[in-house]
Amino acid sequence: MRIIAGQWRGRRIDAPAGDVTRPTSDRAREGLFSMLASRLGGFADLHVADFFAGTGALGLEALSRGAAFCTFLEKDRKALDMLKANVARLGAQESSEVRAQAVEHAPAPARACDIIFIDPPYDAGLASAALERAASWLAPGGWISLEYRGEAPLLPAGLEIHAERRFGKAKVILIRDAVPAG
């Protein structure tokens, strides 16, 4: 797996062996970032979070494209070790925080997030709790990206779906405040 665009374009991202980590496919990642770029114009100076980070592919892609900072959340030890190695390999330590925490218990960062990537393990029932947590981390006018399979989870009050795409078995939805600031 590789970074698709930006300063680290073509650089390798490693994933741990086994099936604990399911990285977002290159095709889905490219589609997601195209959807976000068409809405945001670019990623310069944005603060992002990568929930259930795994390899860190989503957050690292955002950093590569100009995001200022990424908070990564991952609790699986093997994935966490690989995530830290990927961050170090790309030299992203100064622009990131890697937390060994479960998403549902993680306190919000000092600055609200402009984009939050949520890619929970499929069929684990974690999407709703992650969306609740993300709603409290989100900056006014910010975006949440949720990758899931099957039925879409219920959204927290005040959030609505703005776009939806299918990439194989995975669905990606972009979620935003029902009444964005501005």
Side-chain angles (χ1 to χ4, degrees), residues 6-94:
Q7 68 176 332
W8 300 321
R9 181 179 183 205
R11 300 277 304 270
R12 186 182 86 242
I13 301 173
D14 291 332
D19 60 358
V20 172
T21 302
R22 176 197 40 79
T24 300
S25 72
D26 287 353
R27 188 172 136 239
R29 203 162 11 106
E30 189 168 1
L32 167 60
F33 277 87
S34 177
M35 290 166 57
L36 287 167
S38 71
R39 287 159 176 81
L40 297 166
F43 299 88
D45 301 322
L46 298 180
H47 280 238
V48 303
D50 190 348
F51 287 11
F52 309 99
T55 64
L58 295 172
L60 291 168
E61 186 73 42
L63 290 172
S64 180
R65 293 170 185 243
F69 196 84
C70 182
T71 302
F72 295 95
L73 297 179
E74 179 56 60
K75 69 176 189 174
D76 178 77
R77 177 52 54 196
K78 286 182 183 177
L80 191 61
D81 290 344
M82 191 61 62
L83 169 60
K84 288 177 181 178
N86 287 333
V87 167
R89 181 180 308 110
L90 295 173
Q93 300 95 322
E94 295 297 317

Side-chain angles (χ1 to χ4, degrees), residues 148-179:
Y148 67 97
R149 183 175 67 188
E151 294 286 320
L154 294 175
L155 298 181
L159 297 179
E160 66 183 15
I161 296 173
H162 279 257
E164 183 173 353
R165 300 287 184 275
R166 179 181 291 278
F167 300 98
K169 293 180 180 180
K171 295 176 189 170
V172 174
I173 54 176
L174 291 183
I175 302 163
R176 194 169 194 199
D177 292 339
V179 182

Side-chain angles (χ1 to χ4, degrees), residues 71-156:
T71 302
F72 295 95
L73 297 179
E74 179 56 60
K75 69 176 189 174
D76 178 77
R77 177 52 54 196
K78 286 182 183 177
L80 191 61
D81 290 344
M82 191 61 62
L83 169 60
K84 288 177 181 178
N86 287 333
V87 167
R89 181 180 308 110
L90 295 173
Q93 300 95 322
E94 295 297 317
S95 58
S96 62
E97 176 185 12
V98 178
R99 295 186 189 178
Q101 291 181 303
V103 168
E104 59 272 22
H105 303 296
R111 179 176 163 183
C113 296
D114 302 298
I115 304 171
I116 300 173
F117 301 103
I118 304 174
D119 184 10
Y122 291 161
D123 306 321
L126 298 171
S128 293
L131 284 167
E132 287 289 339
R133 181 61 52 179
S136 69
W137 284 41
L138 196 61
W143 293 89
I144 298 171
S145 162
L146 174 66
E147 182 177 336
Y148 67 97
R149 183 175 67 188
E151 294 286 320
L154 294 175
L155 298 181

